[in-house]
Structure formats: C-alpha cells, structure tokens
C-alpha cells in the first residue's frame, strides 16, 4: 500500500476526522424520536481524501480506497454501485447521499482511512466513518452551505438507506456536532440540542466488555419493529408522544409491546432528569438514573446479557458511582462514573474479575 499512500503527499489532499461516541443515557430512544445524552470520544476515525483526475467524473466515477487497519488491501469500487456488505459500504453510501441530495457530479476519489475507534464495542465506529466521509466531501468540494447538523442527517440517511441499519440519529449527531468534555442533550424529534459540560471532578469512563455485537441483521431491527407495533396499538405517531402519565395505557398492551414501550417512555424521563442532575452537580441522582436505565434495558428492553449485568454489579461493588451498558446492546461497552483519583484501585479489581474488559 506504500505506493498508494505516497500519492497523498499532494498539497491537494484533504484530511478530516470524526470521533466515536458513548451514550451516557438514553438507549434506543433516538429512533423513537426521543431524548438522548451521548458524548464524543477522544478516539477518532481519520480520513485522507484526494481527487483522482485520471478517472471519470459522475456516474462512472471510481473510488480507490484503503485502510491502515488492512495494510495490504486497496479496494476499487464504483461510487454509485450497490452495497457489498463490506466496510467500504459506509463510505460509498455516504458519498451517494451527498451526491443525490445536492445533485453533484462527484469526481473519482482516492481515500485512506485510519481509525483508533474500537469496532464492535457499541461506540459508533460506523457512524464516525459516515460523518468523516461526508466531512471530507464537503471540504474537498468546498460545500460551505452544509452544516455539521446537515452532515449528521446525511450520515444517518446513508446508514438507513444504503447500509440497511434502521438506526436513529444519535450516533451521527454526537460524532458530527459533539464537543470534547461535553454531553449532547439532543431532542431527536426537533434536533434541538444543548452541550452540557461533564463535571471534571469525576471520571467518565468507557469500558469495552470484550463481547462484540453485530446489529444490522438481528435484534436491533426487531426492537424497532416492536416499538412501531406498540405505536400502532396506542394510536400515536411515535413513543416520544407519550409521557409517564401514559404508563397505565401502556400496561394494557400485550406483554412484549408493553415492555418495549415502558422502557422508551421511562428512558426519556430518565434522560431529561439526568441532564438536570448533571447541571445541578447532583451526581448521586445521575448515578441512580443510570442504574435504573441499565435495569430497564435488562428487564423491559431485554438487550443486556449476563456478562454485562455482572460487570455493572461488580463495577459498583468495587467503588464506581454508577455503571450501565451503553450502545445497541448484547455486549459492547459500559459507561462507568468514578470519583477522580479512584481509577487505579477500581481497575485493578475490575480487570481481575473480568479479564475480557478493556478501558477505551
């Protein structure tokens, strides 16, 4: 791949980056038009992009790409071809949505991707790849009217329509709009958002469980369908339209829809309450809300697994202020809150009890 990389020494090469994200609280509420509170990681997907003047522009444009994670692999694809269930689909889909939205003649491109965002850990490496691709196109073609919010919307569209993952907008929004050391309190219906500072007297850790997950072809899509079924039974457009006062109505649903709807409604309430607690420096209240969120994921949304349940329990036993599974579910990562200065002692116990765990 060295000869390929050598070509990127041109002063026409554009370099951009986008972070992964962790979700402090608000699980599976985004595709229900609800509230979420993620924050961007320091880990980023980095992309170098260069216009390829030796190949066509427009419908026959060629994308030549490589990743430093696969040193010997250089792939050539048509920019407007169908998906291949390959990591490059995230790039192809992202370029396509920009081209179609703004009626652009995309030139042939050369791209190299470098990333330190963990994959399969529930921290949105795919969303970061979509965001960074669109950011690269925007910068390369000088599309000054496209905002960070626009980039998030386009990136979600790429994942929904091209990749085939029926996700909400949280991941792409946190990656595109989020600020370091801040959580993004986002209303997924209106896209109104507020950046809320994370108290620096505490450590906001992300811990990879060591158990990977794949969400495109399975339980995630089932949860989306189950929420849609609950909406139909309750005659509402989305579960966001319900509040805690509607819990008696929810209790009358069949068990499966009842549990899914109850999680979404109570989780929306927890997100709003958690943001208020953080603004008031009430870490105890925030901690209890996070633990309640994990329990709701376990009992009502049924997306935790015995290993992550045990990790939450042990994290608290060893001195964490709070812990919960984060991400799409069925493994992935945990969010841990520690009092600053206690990390080494806590981790020495936690890592012995759970050898597969890894701090991100």
């Amino acid at each position: 791949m060295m000869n390929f990389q050598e070509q990127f020494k041109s002063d026409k090469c554009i370099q951009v980056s986008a972070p992964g994200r962790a979700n402090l609280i608000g699980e599976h509420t985004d595709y229900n038009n609800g509230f979420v509170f993620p924050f961007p990681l320091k880990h980023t997907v980095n992309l170098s992009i260069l216009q390829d003047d030796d190949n066509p522009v427009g419908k026959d444009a060629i994308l030549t790409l490589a990743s430093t994670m696969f040193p010997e692999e250089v792939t050539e694809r048509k920019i407007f071809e169908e998906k291949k269930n390959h990591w490059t689909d995230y790039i192809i889909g992202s370029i396509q949505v920009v081209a179609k939205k703004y009626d652009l003649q995309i030139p042939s491109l050369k791209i190299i991707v470098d990333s330190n965002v963990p994959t399969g850990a529930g921290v949105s490496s795919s969303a970061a790849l979509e965001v960074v691709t669109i950011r690269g196109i925007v910068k390369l073609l000088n599309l000054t009217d496209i905002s960070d919010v626009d980039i998030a919307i386009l990136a979600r569209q790429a994942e929904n329509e091209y990749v085939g993952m029926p996700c909400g907008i949280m991941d792409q929004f946190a990656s595109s709009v989020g600020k370091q050391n801040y959580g993004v309190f986002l209303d997924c219906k209106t896209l109104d958002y507020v950046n809320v500072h994370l108290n620096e007297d505490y450590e906001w850790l992300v811990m990879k469980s060591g158990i990977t997950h794949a969400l495109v072809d399975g339980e995630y899509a089932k949860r989306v369908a189950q929420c849609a079924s609950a909406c139909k039974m309750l005659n509402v457009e989305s579960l966001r339209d319900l509040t805690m006062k509607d819990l008696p109505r929810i209790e009358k649903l069949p068990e499966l829809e009842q549990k899914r709807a109850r999680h979404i409604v109570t989780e929306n309430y927890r997100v709003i309450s958690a943001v208020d607690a953080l603004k008031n420096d009430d870490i105890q209240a925030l901690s209890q809300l996070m633990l309640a969120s994990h329990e709701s994921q376990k009992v009502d949304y049924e997306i935790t697994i015995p290993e992550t349940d045990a990790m939450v329990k042990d994290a608290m036993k060893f001195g964490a202020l709070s812990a919960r599974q984060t991400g799409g579910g069925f493994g992935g990562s945990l969010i841990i809150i520690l009092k600053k200065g206690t990390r080494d002692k806590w981790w020495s116990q936690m890592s012995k009890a759970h050898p597969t765990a890894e701090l991100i």
Side-chain angles (χ1 to χ4, degrees):
M1 195 171 81
M2 184 55 68
N3 290 336
F4 185 75
Q5 289 178 319
E6 286 290 323
Q7 299 173 56
F8 285 79
K9 293 183 178 178
S10 164
D11 58 5
K12 296 180 181 179
C13 178
I14 299 296
Q15 295 181 321
V16 286
S17 64
R21 72 96 189 96
N23 189 22
L24 192 67
I25 194 167
E27 227 58 80
H28 288 258
T29 49
D30 59 343
Y31 57 78
N32 286 288
N33 285 338
F35 300 97
V36 292
F37 192 40
F39 61 90
L41 302 177
K42 294 179 180 178
H43 301 71
T44 57
V45 176
N46 310 297
L47 184 140
S48 300
I49 183 170
L50 183 66
Q51 184 165 324
D52 179 4
D53 294 326
D54 296 328
N55 279 302
V57 174
K59 65 182 179 63
D60 295 319
I62 300 294
L63 178 61
T64 307
L65 40 73
S67 169
T68 57
M69 289 85 79
F70 311 105
E72 303 305 318
E73 182 179 4
V74 177
T75 302
E76 188 173 280
R77 295 187 62 179
K78 292 282 189 73
I79 288 179
F80 290 96
E81 70 182 37
E82 296 297 317
K83 72 174 182 177
K84 291 185 175 180
N85 296 318
H86 189 263
W87 68 268
T88 55
D89 287 347
Y90 295 99
I91 295 176
I92 293 284
S94 298
I95 296 173
Q96 285 190 20
V97 295
V98 178
K100 292 174 182 177
K101 172 72 173 179
Y102 298 99
D103 194 25
L104 301 174
Q105 289 290 304
I106 300 292
S108 292
L109 301 167
K110 295 180 179 180
I111 289 176
I112 292 180
V113 178
D114 181 30
S115 174
N116 58 15
V117 180
T119 58
V123 292
S124 298
S125 57
S126 60
L129 182 54
E130 292 155 354
V131 167
V132 79
T133 298
I134 297 172
R135 188 166 284 166
I137 295 294
V138 166
K139 191 170 182 180
L140 182 73
L141 302 182
N142 196 29
L143 305 173
T144 55
D145 291 338
I146 300 179
S147 70
D148 286 340
V149 172
D150 294 331
I151 289 173
I153 293 169
L154 290 164
R156 181 210 180 175
Q157 185 180 346
E159 184 133 3
N160 288 170
E161 297 178 5
Y162 189 83
V163 178
M165 173 69 171
C167 65
I169 199 169
M170 174 181 67
D171 299 351
Q172 293 83 5
F173 203 95
S175 183
S176 185
V177 179
K179 294 169 55 178
Q180 288 295 317
N181 302 315
Y182 285 78
V184 184
F185 175 40
L186 171 65
D187 181 335
C188 295
K189 183 175 183 178
T190 65
L191 298 189
D192 292 332
Y193 71 96
V194 178
N195 287 308
V196 181
H197 189 252
L198 300 177
N199 190 320
E200 294 178 15
D201 291 334
Y202 303 90
E203 296 211 47
W204 310 83
L205 302 183
V206 183
M207 188 185 80
K208 187 176 178 180
S209 69
I211 303 161
T212 59
H213 65 297
L215 298 175
V216 172
D217 56 348
E219 295 296 330
Y220 190 104
K222 289 181 182 178
R223 297 305 184 281
V224 175
Q226 289 158 358
C227 289
S229 175
C231 287
K232 187 175 182 179
M233 293 177 184
L234 292 164
N235 195 29
V236 294
E237 184 177 341
S238 74
L239 293 177
R240 151 66 183 273
D241 297 334
L242 304 173
T243 70
M244 298 290 281
K245 293 180 180 179
D246 292 297
L247 287 176
R249 288 179 62 199
I250 290 170
E251 299 304 319
K252 297 176 182 178
L253 295 175
E255 183 179 10
L256 189 63
E257 285 82 3
Q258 177 189 141
K259 292 168 76 172
R260 305 302 187 247
R262 184 168 56 227
H263 168 76
I264 299 302
V265 170
T266 58
E267 188 78 345
N268 279 327
Y269 173 79
R270 284 187 288 268
V271 173
I272 295 169
S273 301
V275 172
D276 287 341
L278 188 57
K279 288 179 178 178
N280 294 322
D281 289 328
D282 190 347
I283 297 298
Q284 183 176 1
L286 173 62
S287 298
Q288 291 303 311
L289 289 161
M290 287 175 60
L291 290 169
S293 173
H294 182 87
E295 185 68 12
S296 183
Q297 291 183 82
K298 176 183 176 181
V299 175
D300 279 342
Y301 226 63
E302 299 178 288
I303 57 171
T304 71
I305 55 177
E307 293 90 341
T308 54
D309 293 336
M311 287 178 181
V312 167
K313 183 177 179 180
D314 286 344
M316 299 301 294
K317 181 173 74 174
F318 299 141
L321 298 175
S322 196
R324 63 180 288 275
Q325 181 183 276
T326 185
F330 311 100
S333 294
L334 277 69
I335 294 286
I336 313 289
I337 303 179
L338 297 175
K339 183 72 175 175
K340 190 158 280 187
T342 66
R343 174 164 151 171
D344 289 346
K345 181 180 179 182
W346 175 84
W347 180 240
S348 68
Q349 296 173 290
M350 192 70 184
S351 59
K352 288 177 184 176
H354 299 279
T356 64
E358 177 185 353
L359 292 179
I360 294 176

